[in-house]
Amino acid sequence: MKKRTEIAKILKTPPLNAEITVMGWVRAFRSNRFIALYDGSSANTLQIVVDFEQFDEVLLKKISFHACLSVTGKLVESQGAGQSVEILAEQIEILGESNPEVYALQPKVQTMEFLREKAHFRMRTATFSAVFRIRHGVAYAVHKYYNDRGFYYLHSPIITGSDAEGAGEMFQVTTLNLDQPPRTEDGKVDFSQDFFEKATNLTVSGQLQAEIGALALGKVYTFGPTFRAENSNTSRHLAEFWMIEPEVAFYDIEDNMDLAEDFVKYLINYVLEHYPDDVALLDKRIQDLEKNMKMEDRRPMGLLDTLRFVIENDFERITYTEAVELLRNSKEFKKKKFEFEPEWGKDLQAEHERWLVEKHFKKPVIVRNYPKGIKAFYMRMNDDEQTVAAMDVLFPGIGEVIGGSQREERHDRLLQRMHEMGIEEEELWWYLELRKFGGCPHAGFGLGFERMVQFITGMGNIRDVIPFPRTPGYAEF
RNA sequence: GCCUCCUUAGCUCAGUCGGUUAGAGCGGCGGACUGUUAAUCCGUAGGUCCUUGGUUCGAGCCCAAGAGGGGGCGCCA
């Protein structure tokens, strides 16, 4: 294959007057003379200038939307206003035709819903290519952040033998014949004949295994796919999503909050620093979209301003009890604007979280010390015996981005909570033994990777920040 | 799982009170155009009005069921 130069490289340090080859897909062919070529390396296209008298008419006809080309020519300073450099085409080869009469995409604005059904083509569009470049950037930044701070990347299992991880409905994993599964004497499915000789599921969280790592390596994080068989139909939920779960020995809930805030700000900052063109493109996309919207439906700030604002300001930190008081003293509550009454002991509703984040504080909020009754068994009991050392990081637009806690390290207290919540000891014998032998205070949290990407890209639906979304009733591609 | 809205040309949508031949913009196609930037200009084709059943002299429009999609809620990340 001929050596090609990537567009990102050309734009960064233009090899002026050199003869180079570029390969990519056609975004536009204007005025019978100008091709906007895109190759994935950059949010920007490279302009190819064609003298149509030098090329065969049949070849020129094939330069259609999203056709794949190889172009060789001299790189020169552009005479036009929209770009700094351009290639004067000397050779054009059609690597892949794209018949516009039958091709699914069109050179025009198309809806996210439509493009979602064309997931095999949507990455070629300006918006989705920007989203997926940024998605990569965030993933890389996750590893860089933890590596630079002495954390170890721990691979938690995808197939799990315990169904007590407590984070939601699970997908079953089996090699048994579902038409005629073997039965035990009392008529139940006999999982002892299954591949693992027991019932297994896809993981809903790597946290419990991460705790094993933390109590040996000190600072670890997991970053892997997570599966929840919840019938959740929202723009913030996926059945298959990626989660980052740091777990740290000798951390309490305060340290945990500090880590969460610093981590999230780092990710945003990394993207702003390394993907400014993509962020600018997405920022402009939202502005264009909102031009036709009523003022009250528009975002209070543009994407870029929102991201900068989050980095530059401290997150608000309040307790659950304070949150409930604020909500009950709000004029919205007094005017009965809330559908649900904010009441101590009940979980905060989405409308309550939105009020705190978007109306009251107007910035990310960390709520901590929730009532024990609404949180998981492993969260550490506070001295008041009523609340646990849990924390949620709430973001504008998407709500909960992070959920975490200081873990209950006291064996007797953990056992007691497990009994209260009906969790079998045998199921988590190893988790209990961690508390018996060399246990210590520790804490961690889970960050929803797609929710983070959603926030950074400003995409409205989580299905548009993962290449191939899995949701109830949908597993295409 | 619950609530709600939507489904008309390739895409985005309009379609009045139930009435003759269902419209627009964009996209496509044909042509023009050698400095365009969502290019522009002229011309042109393109319809299972989501499906099934019903009401009616007559249904894109009314009713019922189903399918697909969006938004909201719950569950959470």
Side-chain angles (χ1 to χ4, degrees):
Chain A
M1 195 88 189
K2 223 177 197 175
K3 258 247 187 301
R4 62 141 180 160
T5 312
E6 291 186 3
I7 290 171
K9 214 176 213 175
I10 294 168
L11 296 177
K12 200 177 170 201
T13 47
L16 278 174
N17 299 314
E19 180 163 291
I20 55 173
T21 297
V22 291
M23 297 181 192
W25 296 267
V26 175
R27 276 273 170 76
F29 187 22
R30 285 184 291 268
S31 195
N32 212 9
R33 186 162 169 75
F34 304 101
I35 302 169
L37 199 75
Y38 159 83
D39 74 356
S41 64
S42 165
N44 299 301
T45 55
L46 184 69
Q47 175 151 292
I48 313 291
V49 184
V50 182
D51 180 353
F52 65 66
E53 286 186 344
Q54 284 184 30
F55 293 92
D56 179 29
E57 222 174 288
V58 178
L59 181 131
L60 290 174
K61 266 261 145 338
K62 290 178 180 169
I63 303 176
S64 59
F65 185 59
H66 282 182
C68 190
L69 309 184
S70 170
V71 178
T72 303
K74 197 162 112 179
L75 188 77
V76 297
E77 277 185 51
S78 178
Q79 294 170 40
Q83 57 285 316
S84 56
V85 295
E86 61 195 17
I87 287 182
L88 303 178
E90 283 152 27
Q91 275 178 42
I92 299 176
E93 191 188 342
I94 312 287
L95 299 177
E97 293 179 30
S98 181
N99 181 354
E101 282 187 77
V102 285
Y103 182 50
L105 303 196
Q106 297 168 4
K108 55 174 281 188
V109 175
Q110 309 208 86
T111 61
M112 293 298 121
E113 292 77 27
F114 174 74
L115 291 170
R116 212 171 285 151
E117 294 169 5
K118 318 286 177 198
H120 54 318
F121 291 136
R122 68 174 179 171
M123 267 184 244
R124 296 177 183 178
T125 66
T127 297
F128 281 99
S129 61
V131 166
F132 292 119
R133 273 188 296 274
I134 289 175
R135 182 181 165 106
H136 159 80
V138 179
Y140 177 76
V142 166
H143 289 298
K144 182 163 169 53
Y145 178 86
Y146 287 118
N147 183 66
D148 288 353
R149 284 156 187 77
F151 284 65
Y152 299 108
Y153 180 22
L154 188 83
H155 293 97
S156 51
I158 304 225
I159 298 171
T160 171
S162 72
D163 63 0
E165 289 169 5
E169 286 296 310
M170 301 178 108
F171 288 100
Q172 289 186 20
V173 175
T174 181
T175 56
L176 293 177
N177 179 357
L178 292 178
D179 291 328
Q180 278 182 315
R183 303 276 179 182
T184 56
E185 276 176 19
D186 53 0
K188 290 182 177 163
V189 173
D190 185 6
F191 283 104
S192 72
Q193 294 188 45
D194 204 348
F195 184 88
F196 295 109
E197 298 177 9
K198 65 187 286 195
T200 52
N201 303 289
L202 292 178
T203 183
V204 293
S205 164
Q207 179 204 314
L208 304 188
Q209 290 90 350
E211 288 185 50
I212 296 177
L215 268 53
L217 298 167
K219 298 187 285 188
V220 300
Y221 70 104
T222 73
F223 184 4
T226 310
F227 309 88
R228 306 232 172 131
E230 302 284 352
N231 191 7
S232 297
N233 296 289
T234 80
S235 56
R236 312 180 300 282
H237 288 87
L238 291 165
E240 176 181 304
F241 65 100
W242 289 64
M243 190 154 61
I244 298 135
E245 295 175 289
E247 193 69 37
V248 192
F250 321 117
Y251 257 32
D252 63 15
I253 187 78
E254 296 293 326
D255 301 317
N256 207 26
M257 289 191 289
D258 291 344
L259 178 69
E261 181 168 346
D262 187 59
F263 174 48
V264 163
K265 285 178 170 173
Y266 177 91
L267 296 181
I268 296 171
N269 196 51
Y270 186 89
V271 170
L272 288 179
E273 218 171 279
H274 293 85
Y275 297 87
D277 294 345
D278 291 303
V279 174
L281 190 148
L282 293 167
D283 194 11
K284 184 172 178 300
R285 173 190 164 265
I286 292 165
Q287 283 173 31
D288 291 346
L289 215 68
E290 293 192 343
K291 267 178 199 160
N292 305 319
M293 288 165 66
K294 282 181 251 163
M295 282 310 278
E296 66 257 34
D297 293 336
R298 296 185 193 177
R299 296 161 181 240
M301 266 189 266
L303 177 63
L304 188 57
D305 291 336
T306 303
L307 297 178
R308 287 209 183 107
F309 181 83
V310 167
I311 293 176
E312 285 161 11
N313 290 279
D314 290 340
F315 293 4
E316 196 66 39
R317 297 185 185 190
I318 58 171
T319 64
Y320 166 87
T321 304
E322 286 163 353
V324 172
E325 276 168 23
L326 281 170
L327 284 158
R328 294 186 70 88
N329 288 326
S330 70
K331 62 174 188 283
E332 282 79 3
F333 174 61
K334 284 167 183 162
K335 286 181 182 169
K336 300 197 190 307
K337 286 275 174 68
F338 290 130
E339 192 185 338
F340 299 93
E341 182 178 347
E343 198 179 340
W344 204 98
K346 286 189 183 166
D347 211 350
L348 298 177
Q349 301 288 314
E351 59 174 347
H352 303 147
E353 294 181 350
R354 265 206 310 277
W355 181 85
L356 288 167
V357 173
E358 290 160 28
K359 282 254 165 63
H360 189 68
F361 292 116
K362 298 190 196 319
K363 57 166 141 169
V365 177
I366 308 180
V367 182
R368 68 177 182 284
N369 296 343
Y370 283 82
K372 63 177 180 183
I374 57 173
K375 287 291 180 184
F377 72 94
Y378 50 73
M379 296 187 178
R380 191 180 196 277
M381 186 68 69
N382 287 324
D383 293 341
D384 61 14
E385 300 289 331
Q386 298 301 313
T387 62
V388 291
M391 57 160 224
D392 284 356
V393 179
L394 310 176
F395 263 38
I398 40 182
E400 188 178 342
V401 170
I402 285 178
S405 66
Q406 185 174 341
R407 318 307 188 188
E408 183 58 81
E409 84 280 12
R410 297 162 296 189
H411 184 271
D412 56 327
R413 304 305 302 269
L414 181 63
L415 198 59
Q416 185 192 332
R417 287 297 291 153
M418 285 172 68
H419 287 159
E420 283 170 17
M421 298 176 87
I423 294 160
E424 302 279 331
E425 271 175 66
E426 299 76 34
E427 192 81 50
L428 291 173
W429 60 272
W430 49 272
Y431 191 70
L432 282 159
E433 283 203 351
L434 284 180
R435 274 75 184 164
K436 259 187 179 162
F437 307 99
C440 71
H442 60 288
F445 60 80
L447 169 77
F449 181 63
E450 280 78 14
R451 287 191 182 169
M452 196 65 221
V453 177
Q454 211 185 339
F455 182 76
I456 294 177
T457 57
M459 297 297 281
N461 195 312
I462 200 163
R463 290 161 211 185
D464 299 328
V465 299
I466 187 165
F468 309 107
R470 270 85 182 94
T471 52
Y474 192 80
E476 196 65 49
F477 299 100

